Amino acid sequence: MGSFDKEIQRRRTFAIISHPDAGKTTLTEKFLLYGGAINLAGSVKGKATARHAVSDWMEIEKERGISVTSSVLQFEYEGYCINILDTPGHQDFSEDTYRTLMAADSAVMVIDASKGVEAQTRKLFKVCAMRGIPIFTFINKLDRDANDTFDLLDEVEKELGIATCPINWPIGSGKGFKGVYDRKSESVVTYSDTLKGTKEGKTNVIPAKDRANVEAEIGKDASDKLYDELELLDGAGSEFDLEAVRAGKLTPVFFGSALTNFGVEIFLENFLKMATTPIARKSLGDMIEPTSDEFSAFVFKIQANMNKAHRDRIAFMRICSGKFDADAEVKHVQGGKTMRLSQPQQIMADERKILSEAYAGDIIGVFDPGIFSIGDTVCAPKMNVCYEGIPTFAPEHFARVRQVDTMKRKQFVKGISQIAQEGAIQIFKELNSGLEEIIVGVVGVLQFDVLRYRLENEYNVEIRLDPLPYEHIRWIEHSNTEISKLTGTSDMKKVTDLKDRPLLLFVNAWSIQMTIDRNEGLVLSEFARN
Ligand code: G4P
């Protein structure tokens, strides 16, 4: 293998998905600790520092002390080059969070052992499942009282519809947490909470066949329970099957405690072996291999107004093939222009560094003078590729929006259309009407504030937002009847999006099913392929 191929093969690009507070940040910090990127966990991306460190790209971020942007972390570990895509978690959950998943080759799902599968995990999981990427599960916080292990696995299987394969098995939890049983080596790895914040710590590894020794180490009760569970274990979850893992049909499950740094290294090592190298991506019906000689990438996110200067934007690209060379010219496929990407940079949590080269699997951010759209392809001039677009994801919050000053109609329509074009919000209009009545849909409610702020600051338009009760949106993939004649529930609303595609808004999930039942041949979708 040449050095070029090696560079690509050693890359692992993944997103961490979880519900807020499950421990995503803590786990990320511990990964960085192993990678030697930081000396002390917490010093890079701890919550306390995040407020100042992440970015001051948008005033709104500063005001709220949160990060609207998601960032990418790159670090080295045992010969691997790892890219972690951060998916914003709290109020800043937005369509960007979903889009970021489109750039990942695999996902790590962090679950709080005392909470099980939660709402945001479910949503993000769905997008990963749609893409069929491998999903690895880290069940966290075993140092606190946890739900029954069998129940947790059962919940993942039933709620998310993916088979599970425990790679290790927790021994007790909370005050009684003794460690994990590693199935492959058939040994007990004991827990010690002296590991807190450091990477060196003392754990004992005792072969399970040496039951007396295990009992001496973890106590009789824990030991008896473990051996009982081990007998049942073969019936819990599925057999390990790497093919199924890579196809996203089986999730390997690990247990640990990110806070006390237990189970993290075991996870990382197994994960890196099981996760895929950068995957081939579809373009014009062909699969483009990452090791193809020529550079190609697609834009998955655009961050507006990073500088206060108007229209300063950064386009985030995932490199799909070849090597990026900052001096080489590239073709912007949708724009039909050849150019040099300016100020290519790697975006870190707290810094941006200018880079001169990057490889398939990596993420780069480039200065965008307002020419890129989400989903656009950029490639070497002689290459003929156009990557599949990024789907539009279903917003969950809706509001009717009006400008306060009716004289400012023009700026209002211009501003809101541009912001929608960038992908920060989605706009809809009533079926068979113009833009007189605009309905805005967002994935996360904070986007409403971003919209208001940007319209006021960039377009000098004040708006009024009236919340609407809809929570579900469905694109119409197929209908036997004309859209205007579809019979739905009384609270259903028919609208169209910017591309004039018809959609239905629903107040509850029950109405969706009712509408499908009432209209033969009606096929609805939660995503819109662009
Ligand atoms: P998130 O990014 O998924 O939102 O979660 P984050 O890592 O910020 O963790 C949320 C809270 O859970 C933090 O506590 C964190 O210390 C704690 N936590 C994470 N992993 C573990 C674990 O394995 N065991 C235990 N017991 N706690 C864990 P906090 O009090 O909200 O914040 P902080 O003041 O400790 O930073």
Side-chain angles (χ1 to χ4, degrees):
M1 210 190 317
S3 67
F4 166 74
D5 283 6
K6 261 194 212 142
E7 274 302 331
I8 295 173
Q9 299 301 336
R10 72 189 194 93
R11 278 169 160 74
R12 298 289 182 278
T13 303
F14 65 95
I16 308 193
I17 61 173
S18 72
H19 192 79
D21 279 342
K24 185 165 64 76
T25 310
T26 312
L27 187 65
T28 308
E29 279 168 9
K30 298 300 155 84
F31 286 162
L32 294 179
L33 186 67
Y34 283 106
I38 47 173
N39 298 321
L40 258 183
S43 63
V44 159
K45 217 171 146 275
K47 273 196 185 146
T49 52
R51 289 196 178 101
H52 313 291
V54 177
S55 70
D56 54 359
W57 290 328
M58 272 179 91
E59 286 297 317
I60 196 162
E61 291 186 50
K62 274 198 245 162
E63 278 168 22
R64 298 253 180 148
I66 53 155
S67 157
V68 179
T69 59
S70 46
S71 50
V72 185
L73 298 157
Q74 188 180 62
F75 67 98
E76 299 269 335
Y77 177 73
E78 299 200 338
Y80 292 96
C81 174
I82 302 166
N83 292 306
I84 303 184
L85 291 154
D86 187 19
T87 53
H90 293 76
Q91 318 91 303
D92 44 349
F93 187 74
S94 75
E95 207 173 337
D96 272 346
T97 316
Y98 290 138
R99 292 189 189 117
T100 298
L101 297 179
M102 307 308 280
D105 295 323
S106 55
V108 170
M109 174 165 74
V110 185
I111 290 176
D112 182 330
S114 70
K115 303 234 171 87
V117 176
E118 296 176 89
Q120 193 164 302
T121 314
R122 211 173 286 129
K123 288 185 203 170
L124 294 166
F125 178 89
K126 255 195 202 170
V127 177
C128 296
M130 170 192 84
R131 291 195 53 219
I133 57 173
I135 300 168
F136 297 83
T137 305
F138 185 83
I139 300 192
N140 192 28
K141 303 199 185 182
L142 264 297
D143 59 303
R144 293 239 185 101
D145 289 342
N147 295 354
D148 177 75
T149 314
F150 290 101
D151 290 349
L152 281 165
L153 294 178
D154 210 40
E155 197 182 337
V156 170
E157 300 214 338
K158 293 218 171 86
E159 288 250 351
L160 305 177
I162 187 167
T164 59
C165 174
I167 303 296
N168 53 32
W169 191 262
I171 307 169
S173 70
K175 287 204 170 63
F177 185 47
K178 304 289 183 192
V180 291
Y181 168 75
D182 179 44
R183 293 179 78 189
K184 193 158 168 233
S185 63
E186 299 185 350
S187 47
V188 168
V189 182
T190 59
Y191 169 72
S192 125
D193 67 1
T194 54
L195 310 187
K196 216 169 198 167
T198 69
K199 100 173 163 185
E200 307 80 21
K202 286 206 177 60
T203 51
N204 282 335
V205 180
I206 312 159
K209 60 179 185 325
D210 193 354
R211 185 161 177 166
N213 215 341
V214 169
E215 194 174 305
E217 186 76 27
I218 67 174
K220 185 166 182 349
D221 290 352
S223 165
D224 286 352
K225 183 162 182 267
L226 171 67
Y227 286 92
D228 283 351
E229 287 187 340
L230 291 189
E231 280 184 20
L232 298 170
L233 215 154
D234 291 335
S238 311
E239 288 276 308
F240 182 75
D241 171 354
L242 191 59
E243 290 276 298
V245 171
R246 297 241 164 115
K249 303 215 174 315
L250 174 72
T251 179
V253 183
F254 299 80
F255 295 84
S257 158
L259 185 69
T260 58
N261 207 12
F262 183 80
V264 178
E265 194 168 18
I266 309 175
F267 174 79
L268 195 56
E269 279 177 358
N270 280 284
F271 165 76
L272 291 170
K273 285 192 198 111
M274 294 176 197
T276 48
T277 57
I279 51 176
R281 302 258 170 174
K282 212 174 191 173
S283 148
L284 308 168
D286 289 330
M287 295 306 278
I288 307 295
E289 290 300 325
T291 46
S292 141
D293 287 345
E294 304 292 344
F295 164 79
S296 69
F298 71 90
V299 176
F300 64 94
K301 199 179 103 140
I302 290 172
Q303 180 70 48
N305 256 24
M306 288 190 161
N307 277 338
K308 267 217 103 173
H310 207 42
R311 307 266 174 276
D312 182 3
R313 318 198 294 186
I314 293 232
F316 288 77
M317 299 181 186
R318 150 80 200 225
I319 304 180
C320 300
S321 69
K323 177 183 168 186
F324 170 72
D325 174 355
D327 295 325
E329 293 220 301
V330 297
K331 176 172 74 178
H332 173 217
V333 175
Q334 280 75 3
K337 287 212 172 81
T338 303
M339 66 183 85
R340 252 187 206 92
L341 294 174
S342 72
Q343 300 174 23
Q345 44 200 287
Q346 202 175 5
I347 314 284
M348 306 284 284
D350 55 354
E351 60 174 310
R352 295 193 253 168
K353 78 178 185 223
I354 300 288
L355 51 81
S356 56
E357 59 174 50
Y359 292 86
D362 291 342
I363 311 295
I364 54 170
V366 303
F367 172 74
D368 171 20
I371 56 170
F372 296 120
S373 294
I374 283 161
D376 282 3
T377 299
V378 172
C379 62
K382 60 179 163 195
M383 230 187 165
N384 181 28
V385 289
C386 185
Y387 288 105
E388 281 193 341
I390 290 186
T392 302
F393 297 96
E396 291 175 17
H397 308 276
F398 299 86
R400 197 178 291 284
V401 56
R402 296 191 188 98
Q403 80 273 25
V404 173
D405 178 353
T406 49
M407 301 297 285
K408 291 196 173 159
R409 183 73 199 160
K410 246 181 147 172
Q411 290 103 298
F412 169 65
V413 172
K414 182 175 165 215
I416 202 164
S417 306
Q418 275 180 355
I419 295 169
Q421 209 88 51
E422 282 171 17
I425 53 157
Q426 293 181 43
I427 56 178
F428 308 99
K429 51 193 194 208
E430 306 256 354
L431 199 64
N432 304 325
S433 79
L435 278 175
E436 305 80 56
E437 283 282 335
I438 298 180
I439 295 171
V440 183
V442 294
V443 169
V445 283
L446 182 71
Q447 296 311 111
F448 284 139
D449 294 353
V450 172
L451 172 68
R452 184 194 299 282
Y453 180 87
R454 290 194 53 193
L455 279 174
E456 272 176 29
N457 283 272
E458 295 172 33
Y459 301 89
N460 199 18
V461 178
E462 214 181 310
I463 54 164
R464 222 184 93 188
L465 284 160
D466 298 310
L468 293 169
Y470 307 106
E471 285 183 12
H472 305 271
I473 188 165
R474 293 290 181 272
W475 278 266
I476 299 174
E477 294 222 321
H478 181 261
S479 172
N480 290 345
T481 18
E482 217 181 287
I483 310 302
S484 58
K485 300 212 174 83
L486 280 178
T487 36
T489 49
S490 59
D491 53 8
M492 181 185 87
K493 190 166 191 66
K494 297 168 186 167
V495 296
T496 56
D497 66 11
L498 266 184
K499 294 188 174 159
D500 274 330
R501 291 177 294 206
L503 297 121
L504 302 175
L505 301 182
F506 299 95
V507 173
N508 54 46
W510 174 86
S511 303
I512 305 176
Q513 196 48 50
M514 198 70 180
T515 306
I516 293 173
D517 292 347
R518 282 184 187 167
N519 299 276
E520 216 191 305
L522 180 66
V523 182
L524 302 176
S525 163
E526 269 187 71
F527 311 105
R529 295 253 163 230
N530 288 326

